[in-house]
Amino acid sequence: MTDGSGEIDPARGVLYPERLPRFTRVPPTPAASALVSWFWIPEWDLPDGALSRQPVLGYPAANLVVEPDGVTLWGATTRAGERVLQGSGWAVGALLRPAALSRLSSSPSDLVDRHIAFEAAALYDAVTAAMPDEQAAARAASDWLAERVGHPTPEARLANEMADLLMSDPAVLRVEDAAARLRVSVRTLQRLAHRTVGISPAAMIRRRRLQEAAQRVREDAALALAAVAAELGYADQAHLAHDFRTVLGLTASDYRAAL
C-alpha cells in the first residue's frame, strides 16, 4: 500500500502498532533524499523488569542504525524480526535506498539476514550529540550520508527506481512487469538487485505483498482473507496463508486474533 501519492507507506511494516514506544519518522534532507527513504527513531523508558517486544516485518532494504552503544549496518531480511526493549534507550535508524547501500557495503547479499558493526565515528558523534532532538539527529545523519556516499551514479539511480517500483506499486506482481516498466531485461534487474539490495526482485515483490496483506488484516477486521488474497494477486487464500506461515510463523487468522 502507498500513502496515496505513490510513495512507500512507512507504517506498513509495523505488525503491532499499539506496542510501539515513542516512535518518530523523519524525512531526510533534500541532499540525502536519494540515499534514505526515511529515518525511524524509537525512544523508550520502561519500568524496571518490564519488556516490550516489537515484531517487525521489515522492508526489503538495509538499515544503518545509530544507538548509544555504536553504529550497526543491518542487511535486508527474508523473515520477520523482533526487537526486545527494556530499560531506557533510543535508536536513530536510516532506511537506506540502494544508492546508499551499494556505497556502504561491497556485498549487500552477504548482509542478508545479518548485521555488522559499522565504523562511523563522525556519524555516531553527530547523532548522539543531537539526540533527543529527532529532527536535528536526522539532519546530522543526512549530512553524514550525503558526504560519505556522494552523488548517485546512473546505476544507483536506476536501482532506486527499481526499489521504489517494487516496494510501492501494487500493479507490479511479477519481475517481468518491473523490467518492462524500467525498460531493462529481467536479467539486468536481477543483477542490479543483487548488487544494490542483496535480495532478488521477486523477493522484494513478495515482501511488499505480505506487508500489504498484514496491513489489510490489521486495519479491517471484517475483510475476508480470500478477498485480501485476491486483491493482492495471490493465486488463492492458501498461497497467502503459506506466505504468512513461512515469514511470520503464524497464519493470517492467528495474526488477526492476536491484534
Side-chain angles (χ1 to χ4, degrees), residues 55-101:
V56 176
L57 182 60
Y59 285 81
N63 288 269
L64 185 64
V65 185
V66 181
E67 298 179 88
D69 59 354
V71 183
T72 306
L73 180 60
W74 295 76
T77 61
T78 61
R79 52 185 179 266
E82 182 179 71
R83 175 75 184 270
V84 180
L85 306 179
Q86 57 184 329
S88 60
W90 54 263
V92 176
L95 182 69
L96 298 176
R97 303 186 71 187
L101 180 60

Side-chain angles (χ1 to χ4, degrees), residues 14-254:
V14 180
L15 292 174
Y16 299 96
E18 75 285 352
R19 300 183 190 177
L20 287 174
R22 174 181 169 85
F23 193 82
T24 307
R25 286 189 175 92
V26 183
T29 64
S33 61
L35 309 176
V36 180
S37 295
W38 59 77
F39 293 96
W40 47 271
I41 306 175
E43 299 167 77
W44 61 95
D45 187 6
L46 302 175
D48 289 346
L51 298 178
S52 176
R53 297 185 180 277
Q54 305 294 329
V56 176
L57 182 60
Y59 285 81
N63 288 269
L64 185 64
V65 185
V66 181
E67 298 179 88
D69 59 354
V71 183
T72 306
L73 180 60
W74 295 76
T77 61
T78 61
R79 52 185 179 266
E82 182 179 71
R83 175 75 184 270
V84 180
L85 306 179
Q86 57 184 329
S88 60
W90 54 263
V92 176
L95 182 69
L96 298 176
R97 303 186 71 187
L101 180 60
S102 60
R103 292 294 302 274
L104 298 178
S105 171
S106 60
S107 182
S109 60
D110 289 342
L111 284 175
V112 173
D113 291 325
R114 295 182 57 240
H115 60 275
I116 59 172
F118 190 83
E119 291 298 327
L123 172 65
Y124 176 82
D125 291 344
V127 170
T128 54
M131 285 297 287
D133 185 331
E134 298 100 338
Q135 300 290 333
R139 287 194 300 271
S142 292
D143 290 346
W144 183 89
L145 279 162
E147 182 176 355
R148 172 69 177 265
V149 175
H151 295 292
T153 64
E155 180 182 81
R157 289 195 294 270
L158 178 61
N160 280 354
E161 290 182 49
M162 171 196 68
D164 291 346
L165 182 64
L166 296 176
M167 291 167 65
S168 69
D169 193 334
V172 175
L173 299 177
R174 305 177 306 147
V175 178
E176 290 81 2
D177 299 333
R181 291 273 293 275
L182 295 171
R183 298 181 180 180
V184 298
S185 69
V186 168
R187 184 58 180 152
T188 294
L189 204 64
Q190 291 169 333
R191 289 172 174 166
L192 183 65
H194 180 78
R195 288 196 300 268
T196 63
V197 181
I199 58 177
S200 70
M204 297 173 73
I205 292 171
R206 287 195 300 272
R207 176 54 58 88
R208 184 202 74 227
R209 290 202 302 170
L210 187 56
Q211 285 183 327
E212 290 177 339
Q215 187 169 14
R216 299 285 203 284
V217 169
R218 184 171 65 247
E219 293 180 349
D220 188 349
L223 186 61
L225 298 179
V228 174
E231 180 184 351
L232 297 178
Y234 285 93
D236 52 35
Q237 185 177 337
H239 283 80
L240 171 60
H242 177 268
D243 266 11
F244 256 86
R245 283 194 300 269
T246 300
V247 178
L248 299 181
L250 74 171
T251 66
S253 297
D254 289 340

